[in-house]
Amino acid sequence: GLSLGLMDGAGVNLGFGITDKLGARVGYGLIPSFLIKEYGIDLPAWGGNPAASTAVTAKLPGSGNLLVDFHPTGGSFRVTAGLFFSSSDFVKVYNTKALPDSYHQAGIAYWINETTTDNADRYRIKSDAKGIVSAAFKSGAVKPFIGVGFGSAVPKNRVGVAFDLGIEYTGGFDLQADAFNRKDELETLSLTAGGLKRTVKEIRTNKDDTSYDKYFDYVDKLRSLPVLPVARLSVFVKLF
């Protein structure tokens, strides 16, 4: 069958019956890249880095799923449990236009919070050799799912429609990036809203501009969000 869902995008699924009340599904879903926008960013000259313009976008990995459906009354209503599988990089954020070489040499200063004055808390996030800086929202690669729905993956007629609504457990998200400490040693940092606000403030021409701060607050909100909603509409064609 074919599906369209929140969180797992467009997908293909194969369902089969086990008993009159029990069935199973395996599938794979992916959010097409053309649906994900790019956002232009102008960086002023700062800390030895020249002014530059770039664009930022995101990449979401595909996800597989293994689900078991239980129809308690033998009808359309069902309870579903199972697992979603994906890369631990739930969302990867990166620039699509290369930054100047100086960003590979000097990097962008990142402070671990908004108020620290200790240079030991100052890191440098560098672009790679291709001028790309990236960070990723990390979560568990295996995510348990529970939900309810209507319809069957093995329709009684030739074509059937099914709907799922539930939640998958992620354990929360951690935004991580590789950065160099004061000893020029590479570490993996957990980026926070406070640290990102301070970092961006220091490279702004207008120090009073806080227009981006509201977006950084989502970093901490996602860290404390243990579950995500799942909604999916599927069309199944009976093969046998």
Side-chain angles (χ1 to χ4, degrees), residues 64-236:
N65 58 80
L66 174 61
L67 305 174
V68 176
D69 298 322
F70 175 61
H71 300 258
T73 63
S76 177
F77 175 76
R78 55 182 160 74
V79 178
T80 300
L83 300 171
F84 278 79
F85 308 89
S86 67
S87 166
S88 59
D89 290 349
F90 186 77
V91 180
K92 186 175 182 180
V93 183
Y94 61 96
N95 57 297
T96 57
K97 182 180 178 181
L99 293 169
D101 288 343
S102 58
Y103 282 85
H104 180 56
Q105 301 298 326
I108 300 171
Y110 173 81
W111 298 83
I112 61 173
N113 61 55
E114 286 184 274
T115 59
T116 183
T117 57
D118 187 347
N119 274 331
D121 294 333
R122 182 177 179 270
Y123 292 78
R124 288 175 296 139
I125 299 176
K126 296 183 179 182
S127 65
D128 63 19
K130 296 181 180 180
I132 305 301
V133 176
S134 63
F137 282 98
K138 299 279 189 176
S139 68
V142 179
K143 304 174 181 66
F145 168 84
I146 188 167
V148 296
F150 293 90
S152 173
V154 185
K156 295 181 179 179
N157 299 317
R158 185 66 175 174
V159 178
V161 177
F163 178 72
D164 290 280
L165 183 64
I167 55 174
E168 63 178 46
Y169 178 78
T170 66
F173 297 92
D174 188 20
L175 180 60
Q176 296 182 359
D178 291 334
F180 291 86
N181 60 27
R182 298 293 291 176
K183 297 180 180 180
D184 212 30
E185 299 167 331
L186 189 63
E187 296 183 18
T188 297
L189 295 182
S190 293
L191 308 184
T192 65
L196 290 169
K197 288 176 183 179
R198 178 168 179 179
T199 297
V200 172
K201 181 178 180 179
E202 292 196 2
I203 65 175
R204 287 181 181 137
T205 303
N206 179 6
K207 302 298 184 184
D208 295 325
D209 179 13
T210 59
S211 57
Y212 288 99
D213 287 1
K214 59 184 178 182
Y215 299 109
F216 296 141
D217 288 333
Y218 287 109
V219 172
D220 289 347
K221 291 178 180 178
L222 282 171
R223 181 174 284 108
S224 60
L225 185 66
V227 297
L228 285 177
V230 174
R232 178 199 282 175
L233 180 65
S234 305
V235 177
F236 287 95

